[in-house]
Amino acid sequence: MFKTIVVGTNWSDSADLAFARALELARSSGAALHVVTAHDPNPTPVVGGPAPPAAGPDFQADVALERTLERLGAQDVEVHQHTSTAEPGQAILEIAAQVGADLIVVGNKGMHRRVLGSIPNTVSHRAECDVLIVQTS
């Protein structure tokens, strides 16, 4: 059915629902799963807040992915991780093009708003492959 699936995540609870569905589809079809996390390369410092982490965003994404895969039980799925500093919707589309995805999985959070920057709207309008929008909100 599918050979290459791309899923975007920001490691939130709602994104985990889309991630779990992508993992389920990858497992059932024997597809490789490509996980995309976008981050701001220049986060705004918070006055009086905790010091920024010593490790960079790639390391934090690695830890989040490892914990999520462990929690969801993904030992039987080929998983690849990608981090990007692009806008999240664009990052998902770029990775999907690079890996030749035949399915992109995103959550529906933000679809009801008619504003620029909605990740599911961006992906669904610009993707060159199938898109599954998972009910997460």
Side-chain angles (χ1 to χ4, degrees):
M1 180 177 216
F2 298 111
K3 293 180 181 174
T4 307
I5 299 172
V6 169
V7 63
T9 186
N10 63 0
W11 308 110
S12 66
D13 290 341
S14 63
D16 273 0
L17 295 172
F19 187 99
R21 181 65 56 88
L23 186 59
E24 176 185 313
L25 288 168
R27 182 178 290 120
S28 67
S29 62
L33 181 63
H34 292 262
V35 181
V36 180
T37 305
H39 63 88
D40 185 349
N42 301 310
T44 306
V46 178
V47 177
D58 290 348
F59 174 77
Q60 294 169 5
D62 286 348
V63 171
L65 176 62
E66 188 175 307
R67 288 179 183 158
T68 302
L69 292 173
E70 188 175 296
R71 188 177 81 252
L72 297 176
Q75 300 82 359
D76 54 344
V77 177
E78 178 185 339
V79 178
H80 304 274
Q81 182 167 24
H82 307 269
T83 58
S84 174
T85 57
E87 180 275 323
Q90 188 60 38
I92 292 167
L93 293 167
E94 288 172 2
I95 297 301
Q98 286 176 15
V99 301
D102 44 13
L103 178 67
I104 298 173
V105 178
V106 293
N108 72 328
K109 187 173 182 180
M111 284 201 71
H112 63 280
R113 295 179 285 151
R114 297 209 188 284
V115 296
L116 295 175
S118 166
I119 296 166
N121 284 334
T122 297
V123 171
S124 65
H125 285 94
R126 298 183 187 161
E128 296 183 6
C129 63
D130 291 344
V131 176
L132 172 63
I133 300 174
V134 178
Q135 179 69 27
T136 62
S137 59

